[in-house]
Coordinates of all heavy atoms in Angstrom, one line a residue:
A259 N -28.1 9.4 17.5 CA -27.5 8.1 17.1 C -27.0 8.2 15.7 O -25.9 7.6 15.4 CB -28.6 7.0 17.3
I260 N -27.7 8.8 14.7 CA -27.3 8.9 13.4 C -26.1 9.7 13.2 O -25.1 9.3 12.6 CB -28.5 9.3 12.5 CG1 -29.6 8.3 12.4 CG2 -27.9 9.7 11.1 CD1 -30.9 8.8 11.8
A261 N -26.1 10.8 13.9 CA -24.9 11.8 13.9 C -23.6 11.0 14.4 O -22.5 11.0 13.9 CB -25.1 13.0 14.7
E262 N -23.8 10.3 15.6 CA -22.7 9.5 16.2 C -22.3 8.4 15.2 O -21.0 8.3 15.0 CB -23.2 8.8 17.5 CG -22.3 7.8 18.0 CD -20.9 8.3 18.5 OE1 -20.8 9.5 18.7 OE2 -20.0 7.4 18.6
Q263 N -23.1 7.7 14.5 CA -22.7 6.7 13.6 C -21.9 7.3 12.4 O -20.9 6.7 11.9 CB -23.9 6.0 13.0 CG -24.6 5.1 14.1 CD -26.0 4.6 13.7 OE1 -26.3 4.5 12.5 NE2 -26.8 4.4 14.6
I264 N -22.4 8.4 11.9 CA -21.7 9.1 10.8 C -20.3 9.6 11.3 O -19.3 9.4 10.5 CB -22.6 10.2 10.2 CG1 -23.8 9.6 9.5 CG2 -21.7 11.0 9.2 CD1 -24.8 10.6 9.1
Q265 N -20.3 10.3 12.3 CA -19.1 11.0 12.8 C -18.0 10.1 13.3 O -16.8 10.3 13.2 CB -19.4 12.1 13.7 CG -20.2 13.2 13.2 CD -20.9 14.1 14.2 OE1 -20.7 14.0 15.4 NE2 -21.7 15.0 13.7
N266 N -18.4 9.0 14.0 CA -17.5 8.2 14.8 C -17.4 6.7 14.5 O -16.5 6.0 15.0 CB -17.7 8.4 16.3 CG -17.5 9.8 16.7 OD1 -16.5 10.5 16.3 ND2 -18.4 10.4 17.5
Q267 N -18.4 6.2 13.7 CA -18.4 4.8 13.5 C -18.3 4.3 12.1 O -18.3 3.1 11.8 CB -19.7 4.2 14.1 CG -19.8 4.4 15.6 CD -21.2 4.0 16.1 OE1 -21.8 3.1 15.6 NE2 -21.6 4.6 17.2
G268 N -18.1 5.2 11.1 CA -17.8 4.9 9.8 C -19.1 4.6 8.9 O -18.9 4.2 7.8
Y269 N -20.2 4.9 9.4 CA -21.5 4.7 8.6 C -21.6 5.8 7.6 O -21.3 7.0 7.9 CB -22.7 4.7 9.5 CG -22.9 3.5 10.4 CD1 -22.2 3.3 11.5 CD2 -23.9 2.5 10.0 CE1 -22.4 2.2 12.3 CE2 -24.1 1.4 10.8 CZ -23.4 1.3 11.9 OH -23.5 0.1 12.6
L270 N -22.1 5.4 6.4 CA -22.5 6.4 5.4 C -24.0 6.3 5.3 O -24.5 5.2 4.9 CB -21.8 6.1 4.1 CG -20.2 6.0 4.1 CD1 -19.6 5.5 2.9 CD2 -19.7 7.4 4.4
Y271 N -24.7 7.4 5.5 CA -26.1 7.4 5.3 C -26.5 8.2 4.0 O -25.8 9.1 3.7 CB -26.8 8.2 6.4 CG -27.1 7.3 7.7 CD1 -26.2 7.0 8.6 CD2 -28.4 6.9 7.9 CE1 -26.5 6.2 9.7 CE2 -28.8 6.2 9.0 CZ -27.8 5.8 9.9 OH -28.1 5.1 11.0
Y272 N -27.5 7.7 3.3 CA -28.0 8.3 2.1 C -29.5 8.6 2.1 O -30.2 7.6 2.5 CB -27.6 7.5 0.9 CG -26.1 7.5 0.5 CD1 -25.3 6.7 1.2 CD2 -25.6 8.3 -0.5 CE1 -23.9 6.7 0.9 CE2 -24.3 8.3 -0.7 CZ -23.5 7.4 0.0 OH -22.1 7.5 -0.3
L273 N -29.9 9.7 1.8 CA -31.3 10.0 1.6 C -31.7 9.6 0.1 O -30.9 9.9 -0.7 CB -31.7 11.4 1.8 CG -31.8 11.9 3.3 CD1 -31.9 13.4 3.3 CD2 -33.0 11.2 4.0
I274 N -32.8 8.9 0.1 CA -33.3 8.6 -1.3 C -34.3 9.7 -1.6 O -35.3 9.8 -0.8 CB -34.0 7.2 -1.4 CG1 -33.0 6.1 -0.9 CG2 -34.5 7.0 -2.8 CD1 -33.7 4.8 -0.7
K275 N -34.1 10.4 -2.7 CA -35.0 11.6 -3.0 C -35.6 11.4 -4.4 O -34.9 11.0 -5.3 CB -34.2 12.9 -2.9 CG -33.9 13.3 -1.5 CD -33.4 14.8 -1.4 CE -33.4 15.3 -0.1 NZ -33.0 16.7 -0.1
E276 N -36.8 11.8 -4.4 CA -37.5 11.9 -5.8 C -38.2 13.2 -5.9 O -38.9 13.5 -4.9 CB -38.5 10.7 -5.9 CG -39.0 10.5 -7.4 CD -39.7 9.2 -7.5 OE1 -40.7 9.1 -6.7 OE2 -39.3 8.4 -8.3
N277 N -38.0 13.9 -6.9 CA -38.6 15.3 -7.1 C -38.3 16.1 -5.9 O -39.1 16.8 -5.3 CB -40.1 15.2 -7.3 CG -40.4 14.5 -8.6 OD1 -39.8 14.6 -9.6 ND2 -41.5 13.6 -8.5
N278 N -37.0 16.0 -5.4 CA -36.5 16.8 -4.3 C -37.2 16.5 -2.9 O -37.1 17.2 -2.0 CB -36.5 18.3 -4.6 CG -35.4 19.0 -3.9 OD1 -34.3 18.4 -3.6 ND2 -35.7 20.3 -3.4
K279 N -38.0 15.4 -2.9 CA -38.6 15.0 -1.6 C -37.9 13.6 -1.1 O -37.7 12.7 -1.9 CB -40.1 14.7 -1.8 CG -40.8 14.4 -0.6 CD -42.3 14.1 -0.8 CE -42.9 13.7 0.5 NZ -44.2 13.1 0.4
A280 N -37.6 13.6 0.2 CA -37.1 12.4 0.8 C -38.1 11.3 0.9 O -39.2 11.6 1.5 CB -36.4 12.7 2.2
I281 N -37.9 10.2 0.3 CA -38.8 9.1 0.3 C -38.3 7.8 0.9 O -39.0 6.8 1.0 CB -39.3 8.8 -1.2 CG1 -38.1 8.4 -2.1 CG2 -40.0 10.0 -1.8 CD1 -38.4 7.8 -3.4
G282 N -37.0 7.8 1.4 CA -36.4 6.7 2.0 C -35.0 7.0 2.3 O -34.5 8.1 2.1
Y283 N -34.3 6.0 2.9 CA -32.9 6.2 3.2 C -32.2 4.8 3.3 O -32.9 3.8 3.5 CB -32.7 7.0 4.5 CG -33.1 6.2 5.8 CD1 -32.2 5.7 6.6 CD2 -34.4 6.2 6.1 CE1 -32.5 5.0 7.7 CE2 -34.8 5.5 7.3 CZ -33.9 4.9 8.1 OH -34.3 4.3 9.2
Y284 N -30.9 4.9 3.2 CA -30.2 3.6 3.6 C -28.8 4.0 4.2 O -28.4 5.2 4.2 CB -29.9 2.8 2.3 CG -29.0 3.4 1.2 CD1 -27.6 3.2 1.3 CD2 -29.6 4.1 0.2 CE1 -26.8 3.7 0.3 CE2 -28.7 4.6 -0.8 CZ -27.3 4.4 -0.7 OH -26.5 4.9 -1.7
S285 N -28.2 3.0 4.8 CA -26.9 3.2 5.5 C -26.1 2.0 5.2 O -26.5 0.9 5.2 CB -27.2 3.3 7.0 OG -25.9 3.4 7.7
I286 N -24.8 2.3 4.9 CA -23.8 1.2 4.6 C -22.6 1.5 5.5 O -22.3 2.6 5.9 CB -23.4 1.2 3.1 CG1 -22.9 2.6 2.7 CG2 -24.6 0.7 2.3 CD1 -22.5 2.7 1.2
I287 N -21.9 0.5 5.8 CA -20.6 0.6 6.5 C -19.6 -0.5 5.9 O -19.9 -1.6 5.8 CB -20.7 0.4 8.0 CG1 -19.4 0.7 8.7 CG2 -21.4 -0.9 8.3 CD1 -19.6 0.8 10.2
P288 N -18.4 0.1 5.5 CA -17.4 -0.9 5.1 C -16.9 -1.8 6.3 O -16.7 -1.3 7.4 CB -16.2 0.0 4.6 CG -16.9 1.4 4.4 CD -17.9 1.4 5.4
Q289 N -16.7 -3.1 5.9 CA -16.2 -4.0 6.9 C -15.3 -5.0 6.2 O -15.8 -6.0 5.6 CB -17.4 -4.9 7.5 CG -18.3 -4.0 8.4 CD -19.4 -4.8 9.0 OE1 -19.8 -5.8 8.5 NE2 -19.9 -4.2 10.1
D290 N -14.0 -4.8 6.2 CA -13.0 -5.7 5.7 C -13.3 -5.8 4.1 O -13.2 -4.8 3.4 CB -12.9 -7.1 6.4 CG -12.5 -6.9 7.8 OD1 -11.7 -6.1 8.2 OD2 -13.1 -7.7 8.6
D291 N -13.6 -7.0 3.7 CA -13.8 -7.3 2.3 C -15.3 -7.2 1.9 O -15.6 -7.5 0.7 CB -13.3 -8.7 1.9 CG -14.0 -9.9 2.5 OD1 -14.8 -9.6 3.5 OD2 -13.9 -10.9 2.0
E292 N -16.1 -6.7 2.8 CA -17.5 -6.6 2.4 C -18.1 -5.2 2.8 O -17.5 -4.5 3.6 CB -18.4 -7.6 3.2 CG -18.4 -7.5 4.6 CD -19.1 -8.7 5.3 OE1 -18.6 -9.9 5.1 OE2 -20.1 -8.5 6.1
L293 N -19.2 -5.0 2.2 CA -19.9 -3.7 2.5 C -21.2 -4.2 3.2 O -22.0 -5.0 2.6 CB -20.3 -2.9 1.2 CG -20.9 -1.6 1.4 CD1 -19.8 -0.6 2.0 CD2 -21.3 -1.0 0.1
F294 N -21.4 -3.7 4.4 CA -22.6 -4.1 5.2 C -23.7 -3.1 4.9 O -23.5 -1.9 5.1 CB -22.3 -4.1 6.7 CG -23.5 -4.6 7.5 CD1 -24.0 -5.9 7.4 CD2 -24.1 -3.7 8.4 CE1 -25.0 -6.3 8.2 CE2 -25.1 -4.1 9.2 CZ -25.6 -5.4 9.1
L295 N -24.8 -3.5 4.4 CA -26.0 -2.7 4.2 C -26.8 -2.7 5.5 O -27.5 -3.7 5.9 CB -26.8 -3.2 3.0 CG -28.2 -2.6 2.8 CD1 -28.1 -1.0 2.6 CD2 -28.8 -3.2 1.6
S296 N -26.6 -1.7 6.3 CA -27.2 -1.7 7.7 C -28.7 -1.3 7.7 O -29.4 -1.9 8.5 CB -26.4 -0.6 8.5 OG -27.0 -0.5 9.8
K297 N -29.1 -0.4 6.8 CA -30.5 0.0 6.7 C -30.9 0.3 5.3 O -30.1 0.9 4.5 CB -30.7 1.2 7.6 CG -30.4 1.0 9.0 CD -29.9 2.3 9.7 CE -29.4 2.1 11.1 NZ -28.1 1.5 11.2
L298 N -32.1 -0.1 4.9 CA -32.6 0.3 3.6 C -34.2 0.4 3.8 O -34.8 -0.6 4.0 CB -32.3 -0.6 2.5 CG -33.0 -0.4 1.2 CD1 -32.8 1.0 0.6 CD2 -32.6 -1.5 0.1
Y299 N -34.7 1.6 3.8 CA -36.1 1.8 4.1 C -36.7 2.8 3.1 O -36.1 3.8 2.8 CB -36.3 2.3 5.5 CG -35.7 1.4 6.6 CD1 -34.6 1.7 7.2 CD2 -36.4 0.2 6.9 CE1 -34.1 0.8 8.2 CE2 -35.9 -0.7 7.8 CZ -34.7 -0.4 8.5 OH -34.2 -1.3 9.4

């Protein structure tokens, strides 16, 4: 699902890392005049 969102739906996913360890993530997608924050964990 994540691969599909990135490759075909315009989502940008980011890993949040501290000391080179993944501690969270978020996903955004541009929509007209706004940026939709799809996920933040």
Side-chain angles (χ1 to χ4, degrees):
I260 293 169
E262 167 66 20
Q263 290 167 27
I264 291 170
Q265 293 165 6
N266 299 316
Q267 297 177 25
Y269 284 78
L270 302 171
Y271 273 80
Y272 288 81
L273 283 170
I274 304 169
K275 288 189 163 187
E276 191 170 59
N277 299 321
N278 209 31
K279 181 181 180 195
I281 59 171
Y283 70 101
Y284 67 88
S285 174
I286 53 178
I287 184 167
Q289 296 180 334
D290 300 321
D291 66 342
E292 67 186 57
L293 188 65
F294 182 68
L295 175 55
S296 176
K297 298 152 188 75
L298 173 55
Y299 301 105

